[in-house]
Amino acid sequence: MSGQRLFLWDLPTRLFHWALVLCVAGAVVTVQIGGNFMVWHGRLGLAIVGLISFRLVWGVAGSTYARFSQFFPTPNKLAAYFKGAWQGHGHNPLGAFSVFGLLALIAFQVGSGLFANDDIAFNGPLQSLIGKDFSDTLTGWHRQSSNLLIALVVLHLGAIVFYTRVKKENLVKPMITGWKDGAQGESARGGGWLALTVALVVAAAAVYGASGAWLPAPPPAPKGVETPNF
Amino acid sequence: MNFKLAVAMLSVSLAAGSAVAQMKPEDAIKFRQSGYTFMSWNMARIKANVDGTYNKEEVIKAANAIQAIANSGMGALFIPGSEKGKGWKDTRVKPEFFTDKDGVTKVAGPFVQQANEMAKVAATGDAAAVKAQFGKLGETCKGCHDKFRGD
């Protein structure tokens, strides 16, 4: 029996997903190393700002299964899911919590990171907008919630393994090809060029805002500044 | 003569010893925080020179300052009673710093070593080498932060 399949994840959603995987993994690794890699930690953070902003717009303007309203876990859907009566495609009601949780936590990570400092030589691009004390507080949150984020990612991976081994459903393949095999249902629609353009513009604007490029240049380090010999 | 000298030296060393012992925890925390903050200024100076226009003399000054503080025996400032409290602001040192002597040595040794190396490299005026060494030094700062600085 061939043929039955449906188009689940549009290309922008898939690209977003895998780019996020790379950026988050990179951000975790670079911050472990520290030193000059902190510059890359910051760059990856900015990239994640763009990705998350993109996804938020795409969750409204994207195609069917990428939309937040499509998979928002209402009590009814959850009740049906736990009775085993939920039938649908895309994110199931429980998985939806994981999606929203990951998005919210990652948004918090980059949001706090923009204002963070490492007490060594690295400051988030917007750190100068707030005082050192508040920056220290946010840095503490940034550090602590990274553990939560890593835990949630492990849970996410665990769920995929569970689906593959126990429920015999391959979740990874649709996230690569976009197609879900052996399923009947409506293929994803919507999320055209206009939506994509809007989402990309919003993402670019968010990265610009987060980069602090609009801030007046900091006063220190004018050319050839020399300190006196005392 | 020798006896008098010995007595004098003994009394000086006792006075010095008791001066250290009598340091208020609040002052000890202030000295600590001042030392780290001052190093932070010098780290920022090296970074500014590496990222912007490189000025050899500036980097040498900054690196020498960090080296001097790294080798100044700041460990003596972690006196009993200074585990918690306020210096210029609340200390963020973790209690383990006061109990885990081996752990402290393990992070402090590399820091001093890299700070010494930083000063050596700064003297060469090789900007690329300074940038690389600056990164290494920063990693050893982080080594202690990760282990002994609270959130």
Side-chain angles (χ1 to χ4, degrees), chain A residues 31-36 118-121 132-133 136 140 143-144 221 223 225-229, chain B residues 40 43 45 47-48 53 55 58 61 89 92 131-132 134-135 138-139 141-142 145 149-151:
Chain A
V31 84
Q32 300 299 325
I33 303 171
N36 289 340
D118 73 348
D119 275 337
I120 301 170
K132 173 78 163 78
D133 283 352
D136 287 347
R143 217 174 287 126
Q144 288 159 359
K223 262 192 167 181
V225 64
E226 284 190 42
T227 52
N229 285 321
Chain B
S40 153
M43 287 296 279
R45 291 166 81 184
K47 188 183 163 78
T53 317
N55 181 322
E58 280 302 299
K61 283 178 192 172
K89 57 182 181 178
R92 290 201 283 157
K131 183 174 185 176
F134 176 75
E139 286 170 28
C141 300
K142 176 181 154 65
H145 292 181
R149 187 191 58 180
D151 279 326

Side-chain angles (χ1 to χ4, degrees), chain A residues 67-146:
Chain A
R67 295 193 178 189
F68 297 141
S69 60
Q70 192 275 336
F71 59 83
F72 192 83
T74 61
N76 282 344
K77 279 196 229 170
L78 275 170
Y81 180 76
F82 284 118
K83 276 186 254 168
W86 180 78
Q87 288 194 320
H89 302 294
H91 297 299
N92 72 49
L94 198 58
F97 274 110
S98 173
V99 173
F100 285 116
L102 280 167
L103 283 176
L105 254 182
I106 294 172
F108 178 79
Q109 272 310 102
V110 286
S112 55
L114 295 176
F115 299 94
N117 76 88
D118 73 348
D119 275 337
I120 301 170
F122 181 78
N123 294 320
L126 302 182
Q127 194 273 332
S128 61
L129 292 175
I130 61 172
K132 173 78 163 78
D133 283 352
F134 188 39
S135 174
D136 287 347
T137 305
L138 285 176
T139 307
W141 292 349
H142 186 72
R143 217 174 287 126
Q144 288 159 359
S145 73
S146 68

Side-chain angles (χ1 to χ4, degrees), chain A:
Chain A
M1 165 77 210
S2 65
Q4 286 205 331
R5 60 178 201 163
L6 73 95
F7 188 58
L8 196 58
W9 307 122
D10 59 45
L11 182 61
T13 304
R14 283 177 278 146
L15 285 178
F16 156 80
H17 176 266
W18 295 112
L20 190 66
V21 171
L22 291 178
C23 288
V24 169
V28 170
V29 170
T30 50
V31 84
Q32 300 299 325
I33 303 171
N36 289 340
F37 280 91
M38 287 306 288
V39 177
W40 281 100
H41 183 71
R43 287 176 187 153
L44 288 165
L46 282 182
I48 295 171
V49 167
L51 288 170
I52 294 291
S53 307
F54 173 86
R55 187 63 183 90
L56 292 179
V57 177
W58 204 244
V60 177
S63 75
T64 312
Y65 298 102
R67 295 193 178 189
F68 297 141
S69 60
Q70 192 275 336
F71 59 83
F72 192 83
T74 61
N76 282 344
K77 279 196 229 170
L78 275 170
Y81 180 76
F82 284 118
K83 276 186 254 168
W86 180 78
Q87 288 194 320
H89 302 294
H91 297 299
N92 72 49
L94 198 58
F97 274 110
S98 173
V99 173
F100 285 116
L102 280 167
L103 283 176
L105 254 182
I106 294 172
F108 178 79
Q109 272 310 102
V110 286
S112 55
L114 295 176
F115 299 94
N117 76 88
D118 73 348
D119 275 337
I120 301 170
F122 181 78
N123 294 320
L126 302 182
Q127 194 273 332
S128 61
L129 292 175
I130 61 172
K132 173 78 163 78
D133 283 352
F134 188 39
S135 174
D136 287 347
T137 305
L138 285 176
T139 307
W141 292 349
H142 186 72
R143 217 174 287 126
Q144 288 159 359
S145 73
S146 68
N147 295 325
L148 205 56
L149 178 58
I150 290 167
L152 207 51
V153 169
V154 169
L155 185 67
H156 177 66
L157 296 175
I160 291 167
V161 170
F162 174 76
Y163 266 81
T164 309
R165 292 275 173 85
V166 180
K167 302 190 84 171
K168 306 291 177 202
E169 187 177 344
N170 187 341
L171 298 182
V172 179
K173 196 176 157 218
M175 192 48 88
I176 295 171
T177 65
W179 292 89
K180 182 177 177 180
D181 294 327
Q184 266 182 313
E186 280 190 43
S187 275
R189 279 182 303 172
W193 288 106
L194 178 65
L196 184 64
T197 307
V198 171
L200 288 175
V201 168
V202 169
V207 172
Y208 177 75
S211 73
W214 47 275
L215 286 169
K223 262 192 167 181
V225 64
E226 284 190 42
T227 52
N229 285 321
F230 56 83

